[in-house]
Amino acid sequence: GAVQAMIRPEMIRIVTADKGPAASGYERVPGEIERVQYLGHRIEYTVRAGTCQVHTWVLNELAPDVVPGLKISLEWRRDNIVL
């Protein structure tokens, strides 16, 4: 049956270029930036990944240069997932 998984939003990384397959121990899914919101010290992103909407955030100094409509990938370490 269906399984729900959780991961802290700050543990999800936005990958803007095709870097080949994910490294060992990581997962990667394609997505599209829907929203970019600047909130002082961090930037929050809403990403459409298939039928899911994913929220993530990054500190300003580490933020990738992305805009709504850009095709990206989301990447995270497998051991950061909670089932």
Side-chain angles (χ1 to χ4, degrees), residues 8-49:
R8 294 185 59 87
E10 67 273 17
M11 299 305 223
I12 302 170
R13 189 172 78 141
I14 294 174
V15 180
T16 57
D18 180 19
K19 298 187 179 203
S24 178
Y26 285 80
E27 293 292 333
R28 188 180 295 165
V29 297
E32 181 177 330
I33 300 289
E34 288 188 332
R35 182 175 176 204
V36 178
Q37 187 173 12
Y38 301 91
L39 299 171
H41 70 288
R42 70 182 194 191
I43 300 175
E44 290 186 358
Y45 302 92
T46 302
V47 177
R48 174 67 53 194

Side-chain angles (χ1 to χ4, degrees), residues 2-3 10 34 39-40 52 56 66-67:
V3 174
E10 67 273 17
E34 288 188 332
L39 299 171
C52 298
T56 186
V66 298
V67 295

